[in-house]
Amino acid sequence: MRADDVSPAMTSGHAAPAATSPYARPTTGPQPVVPSGTQPEQIRADLLYEFELELRHTAKALARSKHAPAPILVAVPVPNPKPGVPDVSWRATELRGWMIGPRLCVLEDGTWVPHTIGRTHKLDKPRHQRLFGDANSKEYAQRWQDLTDAGVTPGGAYIYIDQENEPMLGVGRHPRRAELFEVQQISGSPHLVMLYDRGSMGVKVSDVREDLQKRLKDYA
């Protein structure tokens, strides 16, 4: 999936996707299967509507729980980093949310963002002695400081998205967002899935509602 195909003008709605998708999906791995005689776009739209309705309820429930929403950062690559300097810098956003899948998070307003990664910030800053510390310890210490400066609480969770996928931060309100999903037959019924191309590691198939239920057990 290509983030640069997402228009910056994000609007709400449940409009059916156009016939030609602007997104480049993985070409390997399981292919979508839908019941015969049924329009696949309609099935996908219906499944997405149900999933998004569930996400809005989930966001409200998590907001009332003991699990604080994690800040969402953009990981910006550092060109030609020197030894001891992290290869990424962090840019804060005004968004916060919770991970609900391997690469999917729900925001406080109930919308979702794909291609995200959840991490936990170390509680204590790694020790680095200016005279005797090696480049690795210096880099770890600087990375900890950079995350803290970006607003991540030590010991707390944070979510980041690579800069190349930054346009996806608003895709949860895009009228053609359904095109990021596929429909597959699982145990005799259609399921909404999202495919992640992991290069040499193959394609990750995420059954979004099943992954959501698994994550909710962690938040219980």
Side-chain angles (χ1 to χ4, degrees):
M1 288 174 269
R2 291 168 42 200
D4 56 356
D5 286 325
V6 180
S7 168
M10 300 297 177
T11 57
S12 61
H14 293 281
T20 302
S21 171
Y23 303 106
R25 300 192 188 93
T27 57
T28 59
Q31 296 303 305
V33 179
V34 297
S36 60
T38 308
Q39 291 297 324
E41 292 84 1
Q42 186 59 51
I43 292 178
R44 183 171 57 184
D46 291 345
L47 290 175
L48 179 58
Y49 177 80
E50 294 173 359
F51 179 59
E52 291 183 330
L53 183 62
E54 188 173 4
L55 286 186
R56 288 194 288 274
H57 291 305
T58 296
K60 291 179 180 179
L62 289 174
R64 296 191 297 266
S65 74
K66 62 181 180 180
H67 300 282
I72 297 178
L73 311 177
V74 177
V76 181
V78 174
N80 303 316
K82 298 178 181 180
V85 176
D87 58 359
V88 297
S89 62
W90 304 97
R91 186 170 71 247
T93 71
E94 297 181 353
L95 303 175
R96 301 192 305 171
W98 302 266
M99 291 299 296
I100 55 168
R103 296 293 302 275
L104 189 68
C105 77
V106 61
L107 302 181
E108 292 177 295
D109 64 358
T111 58
W112 48 271
V113 179
H115 297 287
T116 50
I117 299 173
R119 291 288 186 267
T120 300
H121 193 18
K122 292 184 181 296
L123 182 61
D124 299 312
K125 185 175 183 176
R127 299 184 64 181
H128 171 70
Q129 296 179 349
R130 185 177 300 274
L131 295 178
F132 303 104
D134 61 15
N136 285 338
S137 64
K138 180 180 179 181
E139 179 180 340
Y140 296 151
Q142 186 61 52
R143 184 183 180 92
W144 186 95
Q145 190 62 56
D146 291 345
L147 283 169
T148 303
D149 292 344
V152 182
T153 302
Y158 66 97
I159 297 170
Y160 76 88
I161 189 168
D162 291 332
Q163 185 181 32
E164 64 181 2
N165 291 319
E166 187 175 1
M168 291 290 179
L169 289 175
V171 79
R173 294 187 180 277
H174 196 285
R176 296 177 63 179
R177 61 192 179 278
E179 297 175 18
L180 291 171
F181 297 88
E182 301 283 8
V183 175
Q184 291 186 4
Q185 285 284 94
I186 301 176
S187 300
S189 61
H191 284 235
L192 192 69
V193 303
M194 184 169 281
L195 307 182
Y196 296 101
D197 191 345
R198 300 180 297 175
S200 61
M201 297 177 64
V203 175
K204 168 68 176 177
V205 180
S206 172
D207 183 335
V208 292
R209 295 191 74 174
E210 179 179 340
D211 287 337
L212 171 61
Q213 295 307 313
K214 291 178 181 178
R215 288 295 180 122
L216 290 179
K217 293 180 181 179
D218 297 334
Y219 291 121

